[in-house]
Amino acid sequence: MKHYIKHLALLSVAFICSCTLLKAQDGQSYTLEQLKDAALRNNHTLAIKEWQIKEKQAKIKEDEVKKYPSATVNGNYLYNVNLGEITIPAGTIGELQLSPTNTVLLPGTDKDFTVGQHSNFTIGMLAYQPITQQVKIKTGLDIDKTEVAVTEKERFKITLQIKQAIDKLYYGTLIAQKQLEEAEAKLALATSKLADQENAQLAGKTITADKAGLQAAVANEEQSILKLNIQIEDYMGDLLNLTGINARSLKLEEIEPVIQQIDALEGYKTTASSSNADMQIAGLNKSKALLGIKAAKQSNIPDLGLVGGYSYQYGNPILPSNIPFLGVNLKWNVQDIFSNKQVLKQRQFQLKQAEEHIQYTQQQVNNDIEKTYRKIEQSKQLIAVAQKALFYQKEAFKLQEDKQAAGLNVKTDLLNAKSLLAKSEAEMYAAQLSYLIAVSDLKILTGQ
């Protein structure tokens, strides 16, 4: 029994510790930069691009091998069932007269000689060093390096898109939370008005129709709170999915929005023409098309190279056993002269497409920068107006607090002022965070 109680106590302690750990994990607050770092570490699309870069870098090393001699080792074994024979008839060499009556034939009789052996084998190595194809190999390596650069820029673009998504979800969640505070203040006001109406109805000073309208107002505010909670849950779910954080919910640290210094519009356009990810990818695709034209022209060059090797054979007495050799090899497919003309046209058409894509991308980027820049200026104006409204609402709320302390107003007056103040604070916060989102979009468009 004591042993059972001991185990039960240990399990209880472990359960309490694990619950405390989970609460600590769920209660941890995250800054914007922490969420961005987590998203970049755990994003699968970004990891795929990393592996693609490594794959293309391995392709470069593979193609570099083509610059050096290629060696081929070969060997074979044959068993000859029937062997050839050479017959030398008698007297082929001549006659030897030993005496006037004695003449000897050379050879004296027909002689049969077996040529070769039943077992034959050869082994050898052939090496080929390309010479005229070196320029084409170099162009191929340049194309491979360009593909690596394109993939790196695609990874950079995905990084910016992830940061942008985190920015919008983070700021959107904070805006929704501030709007939730406003909705809760409105609900408190509507509830207080309903309570006052019910008290007045009991005193016979109002009618039921007035109560129905106030009940509808309470229900509307409850519905607004529910919608905002659902919106916040959706934002939180997207943040958990993007960041890969293993938690049931996130607690976001509030930020104090700061107005940043913004340069002239044309300066951002100039920066984006060389730093924007889409512009960089478009420029690399043009470089790749130019290299394709260069490679198509080089395909007309004949394949000339050095060839050398060594061969050893056994079984054929006519040939030497050791056969080293060295020479020059030429290969030229004349048909390529005609087919490469069409290949060259295809590459030129690809270049035209790349040039058009650069112009289109430049136009889109400039348009997006202008739109974002306008949004920044508009957000500044909204912030200025919201600051003025917030100042007056704070003064109005302070006045109602003073009246409440002096007993010159009712509870609903104070709640009404508090609701209007919460609304002004939410609008001010939304304008400030909208400004930060626009600034973040501008930085991403300029490749920052």
Side-chain angles (χ1 to χ4, degrees), residues 284-333:
L284 289 171
N285 285 331
K286 179 182 177 181
S287 300
K288 186 177 175 182
L290 289 170
L291 289 171
I293 292 174
K294 185 178 179 181
K297 292 178 179 179
Q298 292 170 346
S299 296
N300 292 326
I301 301 175
D303 186 1
L304 177 67
L306 298 176
V307 63
Y310 170 82
S311 179
Y312 173 81
Q313 70 87 24
Y314 173 81
N316 190 337
I318 299 176
L319 299 176
S321 298
N322 298 292
I323 311 172
F325 57 91
L326 181 66
V328 177
N329 182 71
L330 175 65
K331 184 173 63 175
W332 191 15
N333 187 349

Side-chain angles (χ1 to χ4, degrees), residues 20-76:
T20 305
L21 180 60
L22 285 174
K23 288 182 179 178
Q25 289 177 348
D26 291 342
Q28 180 182 354
S29 60
Y30 291 89
T31 64
L32 179 60
E33 293 303 320
Q34 286 176 332
L35 292 177
K36 287 181 180 180
D37 292 340
L40 295 179
R41 283 196 310 269
N42 301 323
N43 187 268
H44 295 294
T45 305
L46 205 58
I48 291 172
K49 284 298 174 184
E50 293 284 353
W51 289 115
Q52 286 180 352
I53 290 172
K54 292 181 180 180
E55 175 194 353
K56 294 181 185 300
Q57 288 173 342
K59 179 69 165 52
I60 292 175
K61 294 180 179 179
E62 175 194 352
D63 291 342
E64 282 181 343
V65 177
K66 298 176 182 179
K67 298 189 298 184
Y68 306 105
S70 61
T72 304
V73 178
N74 56 74
N76 61 72

Side-chain angles (χ1 to χ4, degrees), residues 199-433:
N199 293 331
Q201 185 178 4
L202 291 175
K205 297 180 180 180
T206 185
I207 58 176
T208 307
D210 296 334
K211 180 180 178 181
L214 292 173
Q215 287 175 330
V218 170
N220 287 335
E221 296 305 329
E222 289 176 345
Q223 185 182 38
S224 298
I225 290 175
L226 179 60
K227 288 180 179 179
L228 286 169
N229 280 322
I230 292 173
Q231 184 179 358
I232 291 171
E233 287 178 4
D234 290 340
Y235 285 161
M236 289 294 186
D238 290 339
L239 278 173
L240 289 172
N241 182 48
L242 271 176
T243 58
I245 295 175
N246 186 16
R248 286 175 292 183
S249 63
L250 291 174
K251 182 180 179 182
L252 306 183
E253 287 192 4
E254 290 194 8
I255 60 174
E256 189 65 31
V258 178
I259 301 299
Q260 304 177 19
Q261 182 65 33
I262 301 299
D263 299 328
L265 175 60
E266 293 304 319
Y268 289 109
K269 289 184 179 181
T270 303
T271 302
S273 62
S274 58
S275 301
N276 179 269
D278 289 325
M279 287 297 300
Q280 290 176 338
I281 293 173
L284 289 171
N285 285 331
K286 179 182 177 181
S287 300
K288 186 177 175 182
L290 289 170
L291 289 171
I293 292 174
K294 185 178 179 181
K297 292 178 179 179
Q298 292 170 346
S299 296
N300 292 326
I301 301 175
D303 186 1
L304 177 67
L306 298 176
V307 63
Y310 170 82
S311 179
Y312 173 81
Q313 70 87 24
Y314 173 81
N316 190 337
I318 299 176
L319 299 176
S321 298
N322 298 292
I323 311 172
F325 57 91
L326 181 66
V328 177
N329 182 71
L330 175 65
K331 184 173 63 175
W332 191 15
N333 187 349
V334 181
Q335 189 183 33
D336 288 345
I337 298 175
F338 304 98
S339 61
N340 284 337
K341 289 182 179 180
Q342 303 306 317
V343 174
L344 182 59
K345 285 184 179 180
Q346 296 175 38
R347 300 293 184 268
Q348 290 171 343
F349 294 150
Q350 290 176 358
L351 176 61
K352 293 296 183 182
Q353 295 175 48
E355 291 173 345
E356 289 291 337
H357 186 65
I358 288 176
Q359 295 178 10
Y360 171 76
T361 305
Q362 183 71 70
Q363 181 180 355
Q364 290 297 114
V365 169
N366 287 340
N367 181 60
D368 290 340
I369 289 176
E370 291 174 0
K371 187 187 300 182
T372 305
Y373 199 87
R374 285 196 305 271
K375 188 175 181 181
I376 291 174
E377 295 299 326
Q378 292 164 358
S379 297
K380 284 182 180 179
Q381 296 172 5
L382 288 173
I383 290 172
V385 174
Q387 282 177 336
K388 189 182 296 184
L390 180 60
F391 173 78
Y392 292 129
Q393 289 298 338
K394 284 182 178 179
E395 292 293 322
F397 180 70
K398 185 176 183 303
L399 178 61
Q400 292 298 329
E401 282 184 322
D402 294 340
K403 286 184 177 181
Q404 181 77 20
L408 299 177
N409 63 2
V410 294
K411 182 181 178 182
T412 53
D413 294 332
L414 182 63
L415 289 176
N416 183 54
K418 185 177 180 181
S419 172
L420 293 174
L421 177 60
K423 181 176 182 295
S424 295
E425 289 176 342
E427 290 175 350
M428 176 66 181
Y429 202 64
Q432 290 174 326
L433 294 187

Side-chain angles (χ1 to χ4, degrees), residues 175-185 225 228-229 232:
I175 290 172
Q177 289 175 346
K178 188 63 70 172
Q179 290 172 342
L180 182 62
E181 294 177 8
E182 175 193 349
E184 289 172 346
I225 290 175
L228 286 169
N229 280 322
I232 291 171

